[in-house]
Amino acid sequence: MTDTFVIVGGDAAGMAAASKARREDSDLEIVVFEKGEWVSYGACGLPYYVKGEIQSLEALVSVTPQEFREERDIDLRTGHEVVAIDPDERTVTAESDDGDVVQPYDHLLLATGAESVVPPIGGVDLEGVYTLGSMSDGKELREYVARARSDESFQQPDRGPACRYLEDCTGPVAVVGGGYIGIEMAEALAANDFEVHLFQRGDRVLKGFSEATSEAVAAHLRDQDVTLYLGSEVRELAGSGASDDSEGRSPSSNRTQSDDAGEVGAVVTETERVPVDMVLLGTGVRPRTALAENAGLEIGPTGAIATDAYRETSAPDVYAAGDCAEATHVVTGEPTYAPLALTANRHGRAVGQTVTGTPSEGGGVAGTAAVKAFDVEAARTGIIDPDEARKAGFDPVSETITAKSRAGYYPEGGDVTVTLTADRDSGRVLGASLVSEYGEGAVHRSHAVVGALEAGATVFELENYDLAYAPPFNTTWDPVLVAAKVLGGELR
Amino acid sequence: MTDTFVIVGGDAAGMAAASKARREDSDLEIVVFEKGEWVSYGACGLPYYVKGEIQSLEALVSVTPQEFREERDIDLRTGHEVVAIDPDERTVTAESDDGDVVQPYDHLLLATGAESVVPPIGGVDLEGVYTLGSMSDGKELREYVARARSDESFQQPDRGPACRYLEDCTGPVAVVGGGYIGIEMAEALAANDFEVHLFQRGDRVLKGFSEATSEAVAAHLRDQDVTLYLGSEVRELAGSGASDDSEGRSPSSNRTQSDDAGEVGAVVTETERVPVDMVLLGTGVRPRTALAENAGLEIGPTGAIATDAYRETSAPDVYAAGDCAEATHVVTGEPTYAPLALTANRHGRAVGQTVTGTPSEGGGVAGTAAVKAFDVEAARTGIIDPDEARKAGFDPVSETITAKSRAGYYPEGGDVTVTLTADRDSGRVLGASLVSEYGEGAVHRSHAVVGALEAGATVFELENYDLAYAPPFNTTWDPVLVAAKVLGGELR
């Protein structure tokens, strides 16, 4: 009798596991339960779909359900929501329109993903308040953009003059949250001529990056006519008060009661009331752990499902991978929660390998992330925050340098600003944050620092890395090496 | 009494050593002998000067002689050629127009660089035959371009239609050698509307790169109307036979005798005689070792000056760094010769640190190199050649993959082709070669592989590197990771 590998959740981690398991074992029974209709989609592409640069949601799907079923022989059951796991009986129970299914498993992978956090404030249920976590969220947002532009079939927009200079600009709209999603959506909305107001609770955008990166990105957002409200916690989303009143935008009313049945009309902070037509909540995600918790599985210190190095949970033969699960930080060796696409793919794939007989760890995570903000690109990896570093037992020292992206005499190019952090005593590289114009390589240059982090290298080793050089690509010392030299000098 | 640090050669290695030594020790006497007039210049920028993208040779100079003398208190003596070293007496003898100088030293650095190799064939002394190793070479070539274009003050050219479609194209010209210099000069000349013929002795261009990279670059060169002659050893450069005869270009004559007093008129291979007006020899460089040899210093197996990990030669307190010296290969641990700018800078700087009391190794070299060829970029690092790998005791396995440079659904982007090589038994990454359109990140992505090489990582470790991902920068698995996955699969 062949084993059965059951997977809960049909996105990155789940389908990577299913595909890898099938490649390794053509006999294995592979059953995937997905509560929605979409599988294996690139949620990271949703902002570009809303922006109008991608013309169909289908384009974000890397492998279709039909291909999984027919070409990869995977028993993919969309529209099936798993509602219970019984680790003792080794079964899961799934609900669908066709009734309940009790499915036995030999190996089980929980790949339930993450969900958008909705802040506990009034007005979040008003019409015109959106999140961007799922394909249907993306669809709704794009429909909103098309409606607001009175252009139901809009194609990729030309980025025209900033909205504030247009007679017929649309919006204003609010983005709440200055993380990746918030910034990518600010770009998507501004490109469609919306007047964009971005609210950030903390005192800088991209708080996981260095201050230098945050400042460079904030300055660029302002250049692109995004109005930034930093250190501005949103207290409430207020209703328009008159959803059929064209004056509804004006801050004429002192109402602080939101009208959950109406349309959103303003963002209210401690000091301001900013009239808006739409609100995008980009206030983070949290792991979907209810199913695991109800089954008695251990939840880790980060709030995500606890796993060992092979992504096995506290229940034997039950694995968890992707945005619902913890991972191990390459710098600290401690559990961390980094809900990003590559980790989900890598750990899903490793589980697929493990359950087919080749135990695979799938590697740690360095919290590496990249973002494009209009014409700027930024990346971060490892530990940059001094408090986080100290909590992990390090004595962090950081240096920030700005260097040319290509040889100084080369006719094109710009600046790259690199913040590099190391431990004072050991010299070990802890993390980095980089920012440059889009195309000038901040993101790909971060690959060098990831290499150093994965190896546990010191800043003295990093400064001697034999990185590629030619005038069209960098100065003789790549900006990463310049940062390592300066930080190394500080530590010597 | 303060020590005296004497440096022979005022380019990258020499001036990096001088500058670092001064920063570390404000009392040290630092004397630099440079036989020419130029110091601290970016020879790597010369092709772009000839191309016309850089308007003055001075732009290639990072620090002027005056700045070295006045701001860094370095006794820089241009126009001084060191003709002898006496390691027992600890002196060097330099000749200049003002007579000979005998200069005692406590520490000596040989940074004599490399010289262009001129192949042992007839006709290399004809007028119109150039190399590109020095600033004066660059000046002569640019003057040639300006003359040929009848445009003495030419500025950056517009890249117009290819020469073969023009009535008034200039040339034809030949580039002998398909390495970096040859390819960069093919671009520089083609951009100036020359009809370019490139002769390569071996069967592919960029022989230090992978075959896949060579083929991609060759195809692109052909797209740019460069005529490639692969596997074509040049036997002779023939004179025009009639330097004042406008028919001189035609291959009507069967002369095989070159006329050293005349102008070059044709490139002769075993099978062809290609009429040309100019020849650029890009046939490699060799270390300038005569001074070291005459002083009895050990020359290593590569033909360059032998050094230990601190760049100290066989004579105590005599160091050698840069294009005249050996380095240690990070993969093999064996001596290697990699005459490139970063190594020169790094090792010069390390010597400056060592002689001021902080012994510094300056790191190994991985043979990392980058090149732009028209609208394509390529990088290589480590060991790719199977014979070279086997000679170093490895059992090399390579895989070549092509992946998207950005998310498949992202509106821009191209392909990145990665060749990755690892040792079969240990899985250790040995090297890589990458190629993409210019701007699609082949070069900066190679940083990840350099990190793996420096760490001695396996391909199984590399495939788990937590590299930055977002749709505008890569697919979820960066092409480097895709290559690692495929090669890892092959090795498992």
Side-chain angles (χ1 to χ4, degrees), chain B residues 118-130 234-240 256-268 279 281:
Chain B
V118 175
I121 57 173
V124 294
D125 293 324
L126 287 166
E127 257 185 68
V129 180
Y130 298 87
V234 174
R235 296 290 178 88
E236 184 198 17
L237 305 181
S240 65
T256 54
Q257 288 284 313
S258 64
D259 175 5
D260 280 4
E263 286 181 13
V264 72
V267 172
V268 182
V279 175
L281 297 173

Side-chain angles (χ1 to χ4, degrees), chain A residues 41-114:
Chain A
Y41 58 89
C44 308
L46 288 172
Y48 306 98
Y49 172 71
V50 177
K51 186 178 178 183
E53 286 183 334
I54 299 166
Q55 296 312 326
S56 77
L57 276 177
E58 285 72 17
L60 299 181
V61 174
S62 51
V63 184
T64 66
Q66 193 182 357
E67 286 165 337
F68 279 117
R69 290 176 185 127
E70 294 178 6
E71 292 170 22
R72 303 191 185 178
D73 188 23
I74 289 165
D75 182 359
L76 168 60
R77 307 188 197 171
T78 48
H80 281 67
E81 180 171 8
V82 171
V83 294
I85 304 167
D86 186 334
D88 298 324
E89 294 296 321
R90 297 186 166 233
T91 60
V92 303
T93 304
E95 291 179 354
S96 78
D97 290 348
D98 301 332
D100 288 10
V101 188
V102 175
Q103 170 68 49
Y105 67 80
D106 295 290
H107 318 279
L108 174 65
L109 170 61
L110 301 180
T112 47

Side-chain angles (χ1 to χ4, degrees), chain A residues 374-400:
Chain A
F374 295 89
D375 304 323
V376 160
E377 63 176 77
R380 58 93 59 222
T381 188
I383 299 179
I384 304 161
D385 180 61
D387 291 337
E388 193 185 341
R390 278 188 282 268
K391 212 171 289 174
F394 298 109
D395 179 8
V397 186
S398 290
E399 284 286 347
T400 296

Side-chain angles (χ1 to χ4, degrees), chain B residues 203-408:
Chain B
D203 60 0
R204 59 190 176 96
V205 296
L206 292 176
K207 69 180 156 81
F209 292 62
S210 70
E211 287 180 27
T213 299
S214 296
E215 281 162 22
V217 170
H220 185 64
L221 290 173
R222 291 192 179 101
D223 282 349
Q224 300 290 325
D225 295 315
V226 173
T227 307
L228 287 188
Y229 301 80
L230 300 181
S232 284
E233 184 160 4
V234 174
R235 296 290 178 88
E236 184 198 17
L237 305 181
S240 65
S243 59
D244 55 352
D245 173 1
S246 62
E247 294 304 304
R249 286 179 200 171
S250 79
S252 55
S253 143
N254 279 321
R255 288 183 327 115
T256 54
Q257 288 284 313
S258 64
D259 175 5
D260 280 4
E263 286 181 13
V264 72
V267 172
V268 182
T269 69
E270 190 172 10
T271 56
E272 299 191 74
R273 179 186 180 89
V274 181
V276 296
D277 289 349
M278 185 272 254
V279 175
L280 183 278
L281 297 173
T283 40
V285 298
R286 74 178 138 234
R288 280 204 196 89
T289 56
L291 198 58
E293 285 184 75
N294 293 341
L297 271 55
E298 188 185 332
I299 302 299
T302 67
I305 304 172
T307 67
D308 67 10
Y310 296 90
R311 325 288 35 117
E312 196 169 5
T313 68
S314 58
D317 297 315
V318 179
Y319 299 83
D323 291 2
C324 65
E326 288 187 347
T328 307
H329 200 289
V330 295
V331 177
T332 66
E334 296 294 320
T336 188
Y337 180 59
L340 289 170
L342 177 57
T343 309
N345 271 276
R346 209 167 63 215
H347 286 173
R349 179 170 176 269
V351 171
Q353 225 157 356
T354 298
V355 302
T356 50
T358 310
S360 301
E361 297 202 4
V365 307
T368 315
V371 65
K372 173 177 176 290
F374 295 89
D375 304 322
V376 159
E377 63 176 78
R380 57 93 62 223
T381 188
I383 299 179
I384 304 160
D385 180 61
D387 291 336
E388 193 186 341
R390 279 188 281 269
K391 212 170 290 175
F394 299 109
D395 179 8
V397 186
S398 290
E399 284 286 348
T400 296
I401 63 95
T402 295
K404 293 281 169 208
S405 62
R406 313 190 204 187

Side-chain angles (χ1 to χ4, degrees), chain B residues 99-124:
Chain B
D100 288 9
V101 188
V102 176
Q103 171 68 47
Y105 67 79
D106 296 289
H107 319 279
L108 175 65
L109 171 62
L110 302 180
T112 46
E115 61 200 357
S116 300
V117 169
V118 175
I121 57 173
V124 294

